[in-house]
Amino acid sequence: MKIGNRVQSPGSGAIPLILTGLNRTVRYHSVMRMVAFVFALINAPLQAVAWEFTPVPICTLFHQAPDVALMVTYDPTSGEYAIHLSREGGWPEASVFSMRFEGPRGLTISTTQHEIEAEDTRTLTVRDRGFGNVLNGLNFNQRAVAILGEFEVAVSLDGAAPAVEEFRACPTDQLVSAPKSRETQPS
């Protein structure tokens, strides 16, 4: 019965190295780890388009599309939702901002309460206490189109539903609320 192949160690000359099944397995796994690492590097830009959810420090839904980054947040301490749309080219001035959701449960929502920072026009933000229509639009459709005046930016909603569901079920008990000051505590 042959356990392994005799191989000469580099530079040792007389000392044989026997590759057992265990040694071959270890070498195989090392090579496969390297292949997996290279594969991960090659696919890293592709993974950036995934929808992501995190509950810390506040509930956040994030997606980086080719033309725009979309982030929805919920802060349970204030009860406020916000959607932030950032793009390298900035946003034009317009009095009405709309989001059109295209798909089986399509709808269009509009507001005049959007904000674009004067110093940095790359991010448009809308805040509100209710975001049911936004979350439904993201969850149940194929595409969202942000519209500001004549300007439009589309975002694919492929893969958004699981992250939106996690966002809806965001645990708020991990947040630590600040203690009340003596002035506001009942005596």
Side-chain angles (χ1 to χ4, degrees), residues 23-35:
N23 289 340
R24 276 185 254 148
T25 301
V26 169
R27 191 167 58 177
Y28 170 79
H29 287 292
S30 295
V31 170
M32 290 312 295
R33 274 194 294 268
M34 179 59 79
V35 169

PDB file of all heavy atoms in Angstrom, residues 23-35:
ATOM      1  N   ASN A  23      -1.262  15.887   3.396  1.00  0.00           N
ATOM      2  CA  ASN A  23      -0.477  16.969   2.807  1.00  0.00           C
ATOM      3  C   ASN A  23      -1.097  17.449   1.502  1.00  0.00           C
ATOM      4  O   ASN A  23      -1.137  18.640   1.225  1.00  0.00           O
ATOM      5  CB  ASN A  23       0.960  16.532   2.553  1.00  0.00           C
ATOM      6  CG  ASN A  23       1.746  16.361   3.835  1.00  0.00           C
ATOM      7  OD1 ASN A  23       1.353  16.906   4.863  1.00  0.00           O
ATOM      8  ND2 ASN A  23       2.823  15.617   3.776  1.00  0.00           N
ATOM      9  N   ARG A  24      -1.548  16.525   0.672  1.00  0.00           N
ATOM     10  CA  ARG A  24      -2.188  16.901  -0.579  1.00  0.00           C
ATOM     11  C   ARG A  24      -3.468  17.675  -0.316  1.00  0.00           C
ATOM     12  O   ARG A  24      -3.780  18.643  -1.006  1.00  0.00           O
ATOM     13  CB  ARG A  24      -2.484  15.664  -1.428  1.00  0.00           C
ATOM     14  CG  ARG A  24      -1.273  15.238  -2.236  1.00  0.00           C
ATOM     15  CD  ARG A  24      -1.610  14.100  -3.162  1.00  0.00           C
ATOM     16  NE  ARG A  24      -0.973  12.940  -2.540  1.00  0.00           N
ATOM     17  CZ  ARG A  24      -1.413  11.717  -2.582  1.00  0.00           C
ATOM     18  NH1 ARG A  24      -2.505  11.429  -3.219  1.00  0.00           N
ATOM     19  NH2 ARG A  24      -0.775  10.749  -1.980  1.00  0.00           N
ATOM     20  N   THR A  25      -4.220  17.262   0.700  1.00  0.00           N
ATOM     21  CA  THR A  25      -5.461  17.949   1.040  1.00  0.00           C
ATOM     22  C   THR A  25      -5.177  19.379   1.499  1.00  0.00           C
ATOM     23  O   THR A  25      -5.855  20.316   1.086  1.00  0.00           O
ATOM     24  CB  THR A  25      -6.227  17.187   2.147  1.00  0.00           C
ATOM     25  OG1 THR A  25      -6.496  15.879   1.672  1.00  0.00           O
ATOM     26  CG2 THR A  25      -7.514  17.886   2.514  1.00  0.00           C
ATOM     27  N   VAL A  26      -4.164  19.548   2.337  1.00  0.00           N
ATOM     28  CA  VAL A  26      -3.797  20.876   2.819  1.00  0.00           C
ATOM     29  C   VAL A  26      -3.373  21.753   1.651  1.00  0.00           C
ATOM     30  O   VAL A  26      -3.788  22.911   1.532  1.00  0.00           O
ATOM     31  CB  VAL A  26      -2.689  20.798   3.889  1.00  0.00           C
ATOM     32  CG1 VAL A  26      -2.129  22.173   4.201  1.00  0.00           C
ATOM     33  CG2 VAL A  26      -3.218  20.135   5.148  1.00  0.00           C
ATOM     34  N   ARG A  27      -2.540  21.215   0.749  1.00  0.00           N
ATOM     35  CA  ARG A  27      -2.092  21.980  -0.406  1.00  0.00           C
ATOM     36  C   ARG A  27      -3.284  22.316  -1.312  1.00  0.00           C
ATOM     37  O   ARG A  27      -3.396  23.428  -1.810  1.00  0.00           O
ATOM     38  CB  ARG A  27      -1.028  21.200  -1.184  1.00  0.00           C
ATOM     39  CG  ARG A  27      -0.374  22.084  -2.222  1.00  0.00           C
ATOM     40  CD  ARG A  27       0.865  21.486  -2.787  1.00  0.00           C
ATOM     41  NE  ARG A  27       0.573  20.184  -3.380  1.00  0.00           N
ATOM     42  CZ  ARG A  27       1.467  19.461  -4.009  1.00  0.00           C
ATOM     43  NH1 ARG A  27       2.706  19.880  -4.107  1.00  0.00           N
ATOM     44  NH2 ARG A  27       1.139  18.300  -4.540  1.00  0.00           N
ATOM     45  N   TYR A  28      -4.191  21.384  -1.508  1.00  0.00           N
ATOM     46  CA  TYR A  28      -5.383  21.617  -2.322  1.00  0.00           C
ATOM     47  C   TYR A  28      -6.209  22.763  -1.732  1.00  0.00           C
ATOM     48  O   TYR A  28      -6.633  23.670  -2.444  1.00  0.00           O
ATOM     49  CB  TYR A  28      -6.227  20.339  -2.407  1.00  0.00           C
ATOM     50  CG  TYR A  28      -7.582  20.550  -3.024  1.00  0.00           C
ATOM     51  CD1 TYR A  28      -7.713  20.645  -4.411  1.00  0.00           C
ATOM     52  CD2 TYR A  28      -8.719  20.679  -2.237  1.00  0.00           C
ATOM     53  CE1 TYR A  28      -8.953  20.847  -4.992  1.00  0.00           C
ATOM     54  CE2 TYR A  28      -9.955  20.882  -2.801  1.00  0.00           C
ATOM     55  CZ  TYR A  28     -10.073  20.962  -4.178  1.00  0.00           C
ATOM     56  OH  TYR A  28     -11.300  21.163  -4.743  1.00  0.00           O
ATOM     57  N   HIS A  29      -6.429  22.736  -0.401  1.00  0.00           N
ATOM     58  CA  HIS A  29      -7.229  23.779   0.241  1.00  0.00           C
ATOM     59  C   HIS A  29      -6.527  25.130   0.177  1.00  0.00           C
ATOM     60  O   HIS A  29      -7.188  26.163   0.031  1.00  0.00           O
ATOM     61  CB  HIS A  29      -7.576  23.398   1.680  1.00  0.00           C
ATOM     62  CG  HIS A  29      -8.603  22.312   1.757  1.00  0.00           C
ATOM     63  ND1 HIS A  29      -9.903  22.506   1.372  1.00  0.00           N
ATOM     64  CD2 HIS A  29      -8.515  21.020   2.146  1.00  0.00           C
ATOM     65  CE1 HIS A  29     -10.588  21.381   1.533  1.00  0.00           C
ATOM     66  NE2 HIS A  29      -9.760  20.464   1.995  1.00  0.00           N
ATOM     67  N   SER A  30      -5.210  25.156   0.256  1.00  0.00           N
ATOM     68  CA  SER A  30      -4.477  26.415   0.129  1.00  0.00           C
ATOM     69  C   SER A  30      -4.665  27.004  -1.257  1.00  0.00           C
ATOM     70  O   SER A  30      -4.904  28.201  -1.416  1.00  0.00           O
ATOM     71  CB  SER A  30      -2.981  26.204   0.388  1.00  0.00           C
ATOM     72  OG  SER A  30      -2.774  25.805   1.710  1.00  0.00           O
ATOM     73  N   VAL A  31      -4.576  26.164  -2.271  1.00  0.00           N
ATOM     74  CA  VAL A  31      -4.774  26.616  -3.645  1.00  0.00           C
ATOM     75  C   VAL A  31      -6.214  27.091  -3.829  1.00  0.00           C
ATOM     76  O   VAL A  31      -6.466  28.135  -4.435  1.00  0.00           O
ATOM     77  CB  VAL A  31      -4.417  25.499  -4.658  1.00  0.00           C
ATOM     78  CG1 VAL A  31      -4.851  25.875  -6.065  1.00  0.00           C
ATOM     79  CG2 VAL A  31      -2.928  25.208  -4.608  1.00  0.00           C
ATOM     80  N   MET A  32      -7.170  26.354  -3.306  1.00  0.00           N
ATOM     81  CA  MET A  32      -8.575  26.736  -3.457  1.00  0.00           C
ATOM     82  C   MET A  32      -8.875  28.049  -2.727  1.00  0.00           C
ATOM     83  O   MET A  32      -9.666  28.858  -3.200  1.00  0.00           O
ATOM     84  CB  MET A  32      -9.501  25.618  -2.960  1.00  0.00           C
ATOM     85  CG  MET A  32      -9.485  24.394  -3.868  1.00  0.00           C
ATOM     86  SD  MET A  32      -9.688  24.765  -5.631  1.00  0.00           S
ATOM     87  CE  MET A  32     -11.314  25.416  -5.660  1.00  0.00           C
ATOM     88  N   ARG A  33      -8.243  28.267  -1.564  1.00  0.00           N
ATOM     89  CA  ARG A  33      -8.423  29.542  -0.867  1.00  0.00           C
ATOM     90  C   ARG A  33      -7.910  30.688  -1.732  1.00  0.00           C
ATOM     91  O   ARG A  33      -8.521  31.748  -1.819  1.00  0.00           O
ATOM     92  CB  ARG A  33      -7.712  29.532   0.482  1.00  0.00           C
ATOM     93  CG  ARG A  33      -8.543  28.939   1.592  1.00  0.00           C
ATOM     94  CD  ARG A  33      -7.946  29.258   2.940  1.00  0.00           C
ATOM     95  NE  ARG A  33      -6.658  28.615   3.138  1.00  0.00           N
ATOM     96  CZ  ARG A  33      -6.482  27.436   3.709  1.00  0.00           C
ATOM     97  NH1 ARG A  33      -7.517  26.777   4.159  1.00  0.00           N
ATOM     98  NH2 ARG A  33      -5.284  26.927   3.852  1.00  0.00           N
ATOM     99  N   MET A  34      -6.777  30.471  -2.401  1.00  0.00           N
ATOM    100  CA  MET A  34      -6.227  31.502  -3.274  1.00  0.00           C
ATOM    101  C   MET A  34      -7.169  31.751  -4.455  1.00  0.00           C
ATOM    102  O   MET A  34      -7.417  32.897  -4.821  1.00  0.00           O
ATOM    103  CB  MET A  34      -4.842  31.095  -3.783  1.00  0.00           C
ATOM    104  CG  MET A  34      -4.228  32.122  -4.722  1.00  0.00           C
ATOM    105  SD  MET A  34      -4.035  33.749  -3.995  1.00  0.00           S
ATOM    106  CE  MET A  34      -2.574  33.481  -3.032  1.00  0.00           C
ATOM    107  N   VAL A  35      -7.711  30.708  -5.032  1.00  0.00           N
ATOM    108  CA  VAL A  35      -8.655  30.864  -6.144  1.00  0.00           C
ATOM    109  C   VAL A  35      -9.893  31.624  -5.661  1.00  0.00           C
ATOM    110  O   VAL A  35     -10.383  32.531  -6.346  1.00  0.00           O
ATOM    111  CB  VAL A  35      -9.034  29.485  -6.744  1.00  0.00           C
ATOM    112  CG1 VAL A  35     -10.207  29.607  -7.710  1.00  0.00           C
ATOM    113  CG2 VAL A  35      -7.833  28.866  -7.429  1.00  0.00           C
TER     114      VAL A  35
END
